[in-house]
Amino acid sequence: MKLMDIFGALKRDMDFIERQLYRSIEGDEELLSETSLHLLKAGGKRLRPVFVLLGGKFGTYDLEKLQHVAVPLELIHSATLVHDDVIDDAGTRRGKPTVKAKWDNKIAMYTGDFLYAKALTLATRLPIPELHRILAKAMVQMSIGEMEQIRDFFNTEQSVRQYLLRIRRKTALLIAISCQLGALASEASSRIHTQLYRYGYNVGMAFQIRDDLLDLCGTEKSLGKPPGSDMRQGNITLPVIYALQDPEIREPLLAELEVIRSNGMEADAGRAIGMILSSPGIRRAEELADRFIGKALDALEGLPESKSKTHLKEIALFVNKRSY
Amino acid sequence: MKLMDIFGALKRDMDFIERQLYRSIEGDEELLSETSLHLLKAGGKRLRPVFVLLGGKFGTYDLEKLQHVAVPLELIHSATLVHDDVIDDAGTRRGKPTVKAKWDNKIAMYTGDFLYAKALTLATRLPIPELHRILAKAMVQMSIGEMEQIRDFFNTEQSVRQYLLRIRRKTALLIAISCQLGALASEASSRIHTQLYRYGYNVGMAFQIRDDLLDLCGTEKSLGKPPGSDMRQGNITLPVIYALQDPEIREPLLAELEVIRSNGMEADAGRAIGMILSSPGIRRAEELADRFIGKALDALEGLPESKSKTHLKEIALFVNKRSY
């Protein structure tokens, strides 16, 4: 389900953003427009633009301005996805062939580069140096997060702290700044930016933990791919780290992960998933996601009452819904 | 030879820039620092920082400010190189193993992403929205140029115009804005930016044409790789396009290019190079490079007399030297 469906209030503005998103990648180079459009049309929740608009409601809401934040953030998100697919050697995303599968890795790499650059060009339409600074810094952190992910592939010794730092960079930061920059572009007070950043950061952390849980607890039908994809790629997620802390499960799970490692994407992750499901890993990860959502809701407390605040609360609860 | 050796005047400032370049990539994530340092330490002419500093001399020269232009431009240049090496499947660059060879394609991709983002972060230390706008636009054009290059691999029907548009995006634009942004950051008049941009654009065009000539006319010793690498990769350069316009050479050269295409990087480009050298292709490409240098020198005419103007003139003549 698309998040935007839950609030008709934003529908018209989100439709405008959607059109601007498509327009932003048109007319430069044919192949780049085609690959970028393919990527954008594959869908997605447009979570970042939604947050930008909701953040914008806490100041002087101006869609003409906000589009120059919302569109870039979604383009940056798309750029990371297309580069991710190269790393993960992913054939499909959201049930459609990836750019790297339909074209090739090289074209996927340049599509990502194009989307990053395009995002920045659009953002520079707003002459707010602080905004450009926040955006560029987040991009540095995101690329570090991506590299950490590669570096930690199949690292079964990693700590919960390492995992949290990684998802902070990889996911939470972009969501945090989506909320923050919407408010910044609308000239809301700096206290409001800070609270919105905190909200977004905590929602982002919970969102990624839930996503990682889904990959273990979902079904092939609900996921559009067999469960355990993360593990097959070597991405050791929170429930796995917790499961490895269980002395009874640790040794057999390590052995199973070694088998998966040697078989790569063809591996059968069924046995490993079974072990994790029977460990306290799932419950503990859920509890941590709950705590992040709690902090996100706390951050909202300080904000003035409004429809947007209610929407943000709804999204936080939606993100944390057990969808498996 | 390093360009900076020809003017001792800039030596101290360029040493500072060199140190800042290394500092800029330190301390984030170990592997990213290591791959980025490897790339930067492989050397290079630091042509873009030199142009920034020389451009800066036409206004209120402030090295503290100019570093935030010079370092980002060299980082962006390095990012394109590391992504290029993935595309070209290059094992060595300037005699040293490439990042993709020493590590792998995925690490090379994220190293490029990191360098792009890092460059932007540093540039945002200067609160000049116009500068960010020019930088971001150039990055869009560069990614389009890269894609055009892939798209035109082994396209023997391409026109001189297509080639020129491509190298404009791929090379000339970044050099043009290096000259321009140095002046912009130093608050020189807008007439000066414009002339420096024109100078840089024309020098950049000549530079790329010369580089493409070198790949055909150089020796394995002078190039650090066998001549004809461009052709083996499918990169059809200006001398080849001109040679294909020669009715006597066209058919045998097309046949030879087809053989090269089917043998890939293992192909022997010797026969094709022989044909091109015996055609008017080399001379005509040299003439076009000369014309660009002529225009670059014209652009300098309008600028006030100064040591920097003399340096820019020297660089233009240096770029156009027949080094084969």
Side-chain angles (χ1 to χ4, degrees):
Chain A
M1 97 173 267
K2 287 196 177 186
L3 261 177
M4 59 175 118
D5 295 342
I6 59 174
F7 19 74
L10 283 178
K11 172 112 184 54
R12 243 176 70 184
D13 290 359
M14 282 302 294
D15 285 347
F16 172 76
I17 297 292
E18 192 73 10
R19 285 195 302 276
Q20 295 309 99
L21 206 48
Y22 294 149
R23 275 193 54 191
S24 73
I25 48 147
E26 272 174 11
D28 285 303
E29 195 274 335
E30 221 176 303
L31 184 48
L32 280 170
S33 297
E34 199 182 331
T35 54
S36 303
L37 194 67
H38 173 81
L39 187 65
L40 290 175
K41 286 230 161 145
K45 292 176 285 295
R46 308 291 188 239
L47 194 59
R48 289 142 199 91
V50 166
F51 281 134
V52 170
L53 299 192
L54 289 174
K57 297 276 187 187
F58 291 87
T60 312
Y61 187 88
D62 178 350
L63 191 58
E64 277 301 314
K65 273 192 192 171
L66 288 171
Q67 64 167 313
H68 302 314
V69 182
V71 171
L73 284 166
E74 187 66 19
L75 292 180
I76 290 173
H77 174 59
S78 303
T80 64
L81 294 185
V82 71
H83 279 186
D84 266 1
D85 288 339
V86 172
I87 299 299
D88 300 342
D89 207 15
T92 57
R93 178 176 284 278
R94 297 174 192 134
K96 291 197 182 173
T98 56
V99 172
K100 68 139 274 157
K102 191 167 173 190
W103 288 274
D104 63 32
N105 276 342
K106 296 170 179 185
I107 289 177
M109 186 175 77
Y110 282 143
T111 299
D113 290 1
F114 170 71
L115 292 171
Y116 279 129
K118 206 70 205 181
L120 291 160
T121 316
L122 295 172
T124 57
R125 295 211 180 143
L126 291 181
I128 310 174
E130 195 187 347
L131 189 147
H132 307 154
R133 213 151 28 222
I134 292 169
L135 207 55
K137 275 196 183 172
M139 285 170 70
V140 171
Q141 292 300 316
M142 287 168 75
S143 71
I144 295 174
E146 301 283 6
M147 193 63 125
E148 286 172 335
Q149 178 159 328
I150 303 185
R151 200 197 50 195
D152 287 339
F153 272 164
F154 287 111
N155 172 9
T156 48
E157 297 303 313
Q158 67 187 288
S159 62
V160 170
R161 195 182 123 81
Q162 252 172 298
Y163 166 84
L164 293 176
L165 269 174
R166 192 170 69 232
I167 68 167
R168 175 199 160 94
R169 290 186 164 122
K170 224 181 82 86
T171 308
L173 209 51
L174 196 69
I175 294 181
I177 72 166
S178 298
C179 301
Q180 178 191 22
L181 295 181
L184 181 70
S186 303
E187 295 166 48
S189 76
S190 74
R191 208 184 55 79
I192 288 182
H193 310 172
T194 314
Q195 293 302 95
L196 283 171
Y197 178 95
R198 266 188 57 205
Y199 163 83
Y201 165 73
N202 286 296
V203 165
M205 294 297 282
F207 179 75
Q208 187 60 57
I209 294 174
R210 280 279 157 211
D211 202 54
D212 292 344
L213 275 164
L214 197 58
D215 185 61
L216 293 166
C217 306
T219 60
E220 176 147 8
K221 202 175 161 210
S222 71
L223 295 168
K225 59 184 176 183
S229 304
D230 286 336
M231 241 188 307
R232 279 193 297 272
Q233 278 154 26
N235 188 8
I236 306 291
T237 59
L238 188 59
V240 186
I241 297 173
Y242 280 140
L244 285 168
Q245 291 177 355
D246 182 330
E248 278 188 33
I249 290 174
R250 182 173 173 81
E251 290 308 321
L253 181 52
L254 280 176
E256 202 54 38
L257 285 169
E258 203 41 54
V259 172
I260 291 176
R261 178 181 205 153
S262 53
N263 289 319
M265 288 312 282
E266 303 307 310
D268 176 8
R271 279 167 56 99
I273 293 178
M275 291 176 195
I276 298 160
L277 295 184
S278 74
S279 82
I282 302 295
R283 184 186 42 77
R284 291 184 67 191
E286 284 175 347
E287 281 168 7
L288 194 50
D290 289 346
R291 263 162 56 200
F292 280 115
I293 290 298
K295 286 187 194 174
L297 297 175
D298 281 351
L300 290 180
E301 284 304 308
L303 295 176
E305 291 305 319
S306 66
K307 227 197 273 177
S308 307
K309 182 168 160 173
T310 312
H311 286 330
L312 289 174
K313 213 174 281 180
E314 283 167 9
I315 297 180
L317 298 173
F318 175 84
V319 160
N320 208 33
K321 249 190 5 201
R322 281 148 191 73
S323 39
Y324 41 84
Chain B
M1 93 174 269
K2 287 196 176 182
L3 259 179
M4 57 175 117
D5 296 341
I6 61 175
F7 20 75
L10 283 178
K11 172 111 184 54
R12 244 176 67 185
D13 290 359
M14 283 302 293
D15 285 348
F16 172 76
I17 297 293
E18 192 73 10
R19 284 194 304 274
Q20 296 307 101
L21 205 49
Y22 294 149
R23 275 193 55 189
S24 73
I25 49 148
E26 273 172 9
D28 284 304
E29 194 274 336
E30 221 176 305
L31 183 51
L32 281 170
S33 296
E34 197 183 331
T35 54
S36 302
L37 193 66
H38 174 83
L39 186 65
L40 290 175
K41 285 231 161 146
K45 292 177 285 295
R46 309 295 189 235
L47 196 58
R48 290 145 198 87
V50 166
F51 281 134
V52 171
L53 299 192
L54 289 174
K57 297 275 188 188
F58 290 88
T60 311
Y61 187 87
D62 177 351
L63 191 57
E64 277 301 315
K65 272 193 192 171
L66 288 171
Q67 63 166 316
H68 301 314
V69 183
V71 172
L73 284 166
E74 188 66 19
L75 293 179
I76 290 174
H77 174 59
S78 303
T80 64
L81 295 185
V82 71
H83 279 184
D84 265 0
D85 289 338
V86 173
I87 300 299
D88 300 344
D89 206 14
T92 59
R93 176 176 288 276
R94 300 176 190 133
K96 292 196 182 172
T98 56
V99 173
K100 68 139 271 155
K102 192 167 171 187
W103 288 273
D104 64 31
N105 276 342
K106 296 170 179 183
I107 288 177
M109 187 175 78
Y110 282 143
T111 299
D113 290 1
F114 171 70
L115 291 172
Y116 279 129
K118 206 72 206 183
L120 291 159
T121 317
L122 296 173
T124 56
R125 297 211 179 143
L126 291 179
I128 310 173
E130 195 186 347
L131 191 147
H132 308 155
R133 209 148 36 220
I134 293 170
L135 208 55
K137 274 197 182 170
M139 285 172 69
V140 172
Q141 292 300 315
M142 286 168 74
S143 71
I144 296 174
E146 301 282 6
M147 193 64 126
E148 286 172 336
Q149 178 160 327
I150 305 186
R151 199 196 52 196
D152 286 340
F153 272 164
F154 287 109
N155 172 8
T156 49
E157 298 303 313
Q158 67 187 289
S159 63
V160 170
R161 195 182 123 81
Q162 252 172 296
Y163 166 84
L164 293 176
L165 270 174
R166 192 169 69 231
I167 67 166
R168 175 200 160 92
R169 289 186 165 122
K170 222 180 84 85
T171 307
L173 209 52
L174 196 67
I175 294 182
I177 71 165
S178 299
C179 300
Q180 178 191 23
L181 295 182
L184 181 71
S186 305
E187 294 167 49
S189 76
S190 76
R191 207 184 54 80
I192 288 183
H193 311 172
T194 315
Q195 292 302 96
L196 283 171
Y197 179 95
R198 266 188 56 206
Y199 162 84
Y201 166 73
N202 285 294
V203 164
M205 294 297 281
F207 180 76
Q208 188 60 56
I209 294 175
R210 281 281 158 206
D211 202 55
D212 292 344
L213 275 163
L214 197 59
D215 185 61
L216 294 166
C217 306
T219 60
E220 177 148 6
K221 202 176 157 208
S222 70
L223 294 169
K225 57 182 177 182
S229 304
D230 286 337
M231 241 187 308
R232 279 193 296 273
Q233 277 154 25
N235 186 8
I236 306 290
T237 59
L238 188 59
V240 186
I241 298 172
Y242 280 139
L244 286 168
Q245 290 178 354
D246 182 331
E248 279 188 31
I249 289 173
R250 183 174 172 80
E251 289 308 323
L253 182 53
L254 280 177
E256 201 55 37
L257 285 170
E258 203 41 52
V259 172
I260 292 176
R261 178 181 206 154
S262 53
N263 290 317
M265 287 312 282
E266 302 307 310
D268 176 8
R271 279 166 57 99
I273 293 178
M275 290 176 193
I276 297 160
L277 295 182
S278 75
S279 83
I282 302 294
R283 185 185 42 76
R284 290 183 69 190
E286 285 175 345
E287 281 168 7
L288 194 50
D290 290 346
R291 264 163 57 201
F292 280 114
I293 291 298
K295 285 189 196 173
L297 297 174
D298 281 352
L300 291 180
E301 283 304 310
L303 295 177
E305 291 305 321
S306 66
K307 228 197 271 179
S308 307
K309 182 167 160 175
T310 312
H311 287 330
L312 289 173
K313 213 175 280 177
E314 282 167 9
I315 298 179
L317 298 172
F318 174 86
V319 160
N320 208 32
K321 249 189 10 201
R322 280 145 193 77
S323 40
Y324 42 83

